[in-house]
Amino acid sequence: MTTLQQILPGAVVAPRDTGLRRARRVLRPARAVPGALVALTLTAGLGATAAEVVSALLGAPLGWVPVNEVVELAGRTTWPDTATPALLSAAAGTLMLLLAAVPGRSGLVPVETSDPLIVIGITRSGLRRTLCAAARQVAGVDKARVRLRRRTIEVTVTTGAESSGQMLRQVGTAVGDRLAGVGTLGTGEVVVRLRRRAV
């Protein structure tokens, strides 16, 4: 019992580190490719500029960066001329900061485990395939398509003209049972849509 529960016996304290929250934090994409590209570009550009400045100070310019032309351009350029490039640079920097700060969409769906120290995920395409296979096992289903939404799993089945609402329940039960068997976390409710095959 926590201190809050001792003070307020009727209070319900939600766990701060649930399995779903922990899994989403661990499975979050790292943004490694954009970060590496930005780092390599800045390193190459600033390294070449530093080498050019140092070599010019030593009396033997490398000629990689046209320093004299840049200095002349800066001398004859006024602030109104540079406002647009400055705003574009600021916008690009803000966009890079947002890309680094905002987590991307994970390609993995967290799976429940009995050990709280282990985090496992299944690929979204793998989950779609296994749910499609479960839906196609229902008698009368010709085709099945699964879409993973943020809060729902949308299953669209194509059937013959004689299909009924009972089939919708059977497909929903089959997909729900497969979800429970896989043990996915935070996938939301299953929505089944029926599409009759054209005769």
Side-chain angles (χ1 to χ4, degrees):
M1 187 185 301
T2 64
T3 307
L4 180 60
Q5 288 171 327
Q6 291 170 353
I7 297 171
L8 303 171
V12 177
V13 179
R16 295 183 61 199
D17 197 20
T18 64
L20 179 59
R21 181 181 292 173
R22 183 174 54 252
R24 283 187 176 156
R25 188 174 57 241
V26 170
L27 299 176
R28 180 187 310 173
R31 302 276 192 195
V33 174
L37 288 176
V38 169
L40 286 173
T41 303
L42 289 176
T43 301
L46 295 176
T49 304
E52 184 66 39
V53 169
V54 170
S55 64
L57 289 174
L58 294 175
L62 296 173
W64 293 350
V65 179
V67 176
N68 292 333
E69 288 82 356
V70 171
V71 170
E72 288 175 12
L73 179 64
R76 64 177 183 265
T77 304
T78 61
W79 170 248
D81 297 335
T82 60
T84 302
L87 287 175
L88 290 175
S89 298
T94 305
L95 179 65
M96 284 190 273
L97 286 174
L98 285 174
L99 278 175
V102 176
R105 184 179 181 189
S106 176
L108 298 173
V109 177
V111 175
E112 185 176 4
T113 60
S114 58
D115 188 349
L117 300 177
I118 296 176
V119 174
I120 298 174
I122 183 173
T123 63
R124 298 176 72 79
S125 60
L127 182 60
R128 277 195 302 267
R129 280 194 305 271
T130 191
L131 296 180
C132 274
R136 281 194 300 265
Q137 288 177 350
V138 175
V141 173
D142 297 329
K143 288 183 190 175
R145 187 180 68 185
V146 174
R147 286 185 176 168
L148 302 178
R149 306 278 188 196
R150 183 173 292 275
R151 303 226 189 283
T152 59
I153 296 175
E154 184 179 303
V155 182
T156 304
V157 293
T158 304
T159 65
E162 70 282 352
S163 59
S164 64
Q166 179 66 26
M167 181 179 288
L168 288 176
R169 287 189 288 279
Q170 290 174 349
V171 171
T173 302
V175 171
D177 290 347
R178 184 65 59 91
L179 272 175
V182 173
T184 56
L185 294 170
T187 48
E189 66 175 336
V190 177
V191 177
V192 182
R193 301 190 192 288
L194 186 64
R195 182 176 293 165
R196 288 184 173 84
R197 188 178 60 246
V199 179

